[in-house]
């Protein structure tokens, strides 16, 4: 028996951030199903106000460089978009173990003019890019309840995201975002 199983059995409550995770844990550990509660991330919205985002091709994404973020699929999609709209710029803010591999892919596809890896941004820098962006995109293969989506909403950014995990609960396709299947560069 693992430490995780012992902890779950001894816990009065098990907190998760979205219902898909609640279902997964309940499936693998049916004996704790009644202990699981969903409490999503919260955010104090600053109401940055509407910004004219109609003229431009700046796309922002924020997240660690990790397999689950789906960056290879996002980069592949930018290759297709940049053929038709060469002025497109994708800004990726974040750090992580796959940053070097991601940079190599950008170079291999000759997208250095279209894709900028920004590294970690402090709040002021992230605000600058959020106000400049015309679109927020999240190509994740799975997600819990990402704060960056709440931040994008706070900046009134149009959103395109993968239809996965907690994003199913935060956003509604064709209402406040466009959702695409994960790992699908052409749809993205």
């Amino acid at each position: 028996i693992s430490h995780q199983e012992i902890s779950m059995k001894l816990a009065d409550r098990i907190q998760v951030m979205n219902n898909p995770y609640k279902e997964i844990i309940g499936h693998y550990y049916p004996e704790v199903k009644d202990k699981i509660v969903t409490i999503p991330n919260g955010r104090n919205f600053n109401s940055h106000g509407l910004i004219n985002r109609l003229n431009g091709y700046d796309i922002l994404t924020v997240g660690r460089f990790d397999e689950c973020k789906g960056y290879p699929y996002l980069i592949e999609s930018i290759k297709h978009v940049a053929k038709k709209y060469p002025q497109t710029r994708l800004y990726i803010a974040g750090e992580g173990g796959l940053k070097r591999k991601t940079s190599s892919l950008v170079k291999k596809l000759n997208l250095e003019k279209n894709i900028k890896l920004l590294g970690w941004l402090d709040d002021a820098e992230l605000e600058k890019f959020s106000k400049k962006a015309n679109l927020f995109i999240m190509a994740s293969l799975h997600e819990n309840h990402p704060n960056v989506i709440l931040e994008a909403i706070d900046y009134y950014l149009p959103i395109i995201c993968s239809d996965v995990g907690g994003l199913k609960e935060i956003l509604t396709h064709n209402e406040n975002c466009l959702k695409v299947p994960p790992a699908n560069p052409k749809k993205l």
Side-chain angles (χ1 to χ4, degrees):
I1 192 165
S2 71
H3 293 289
Q4 184 175 333
E5 291 171 312
I6 292 170
S7 296
M8 285 195 288
K9 287 180 181 179
L10 294 175
D12 294 326
R13 291 271 179 249
I14 300 166
Q15 178 182 330
V16 296
M17 287 191 250
N18 63 56
N19 287 320
Y21 277 38
K22 180 179 181 176
E23 291 171 15
I24 290 168
I25 293 170
H27 173 76
Y28 287 104
Y29 303 98
E31 67 276 10
V32 301
K33 200 173 196 169
D34 294 336
K35 295 181 180 185
I36 305 170
V37 295
T38 302
I39 304 174
N41 287 337
R43 175 159 175 84
N44 289 328
F45 287 93
N46 295 319
S47 189
H48 293 283
L50 292 174
I51 298 170
N52 181 357
R53 300 185 188 280
L54 299 177
N55 301 315
Y57 299 88
D58 292 331
I59 303 168
L60 177 64
T61 192
V62 180
R64 69 189 180 284
F65 286 88
D66 186 281
E67 292 290 337
C68 72
K69 296 301 181 186
Y71 288 146
Y73 305 105
L74 177 55
I75 291 166
E76 181 71 26
S77 75
I78 294 298
K79 181 179 89 170
H80 299 295
V81 171
K83 285 179 186 175
K84 188 169 184 178
Y85 304 100
Q87 66 274 45
T88 299
R89 298 290 178 271
L90 170 65
Y91 298 96
I92 304 175
E95 290 292 339
L98 295 179
K99 187 175 180 183
R100 196 176 294 151
K101 185 177 178 181
T102 303
S103 178
S104 295
L105 179 59
V106 169
K107 288 176 185 166
K108 178 182 173 186
L109 297 176
N110 296 315
L111 293 170
E112 296 97 325
K113 291 180 182 175
N114 304 97
I115 299 175
K116 307 296 180 200
L117 308 184
L118 303 173
W120 181 85
L121 300 179
D122 64 28
D123 289 343
E125 293 170 311
L126 185 55
E127 180 176 1
K128 180 182 95 174
F129 279 96
S130 295
K131 286 181 175 178
K132 176 184 179 185
N134 303 98
L135 174 71
F136 186 87
I137 195 161
M138 180 172 266
S140 297
L141 305 178
H142 58 86
E143 275 296 339
N144 200 343
H145 196 278
N147 282 323
V148 294
I149 287 293
L150 300 178
E151 292 166 359
I153 292 168
D154 195 17
Y155 281 97
Y156 292 87
L157 277 162
I159 298 169
I160 297 175
C161 67
S162 301
D163 193 15
V164 296
L167 295 171
K168 293 175 183 278
E169 296 177 351
I170 302 171
L171 300 168
T172 303
H173 180 65
N174 283 337
E175 187 175 304
N176 54 12
C177 75
L178 293 177
K179 289 188 180 177
V180 298
N184 191 326
K186 290 198 180 196
K187 294 279 186 181
L188 193 57

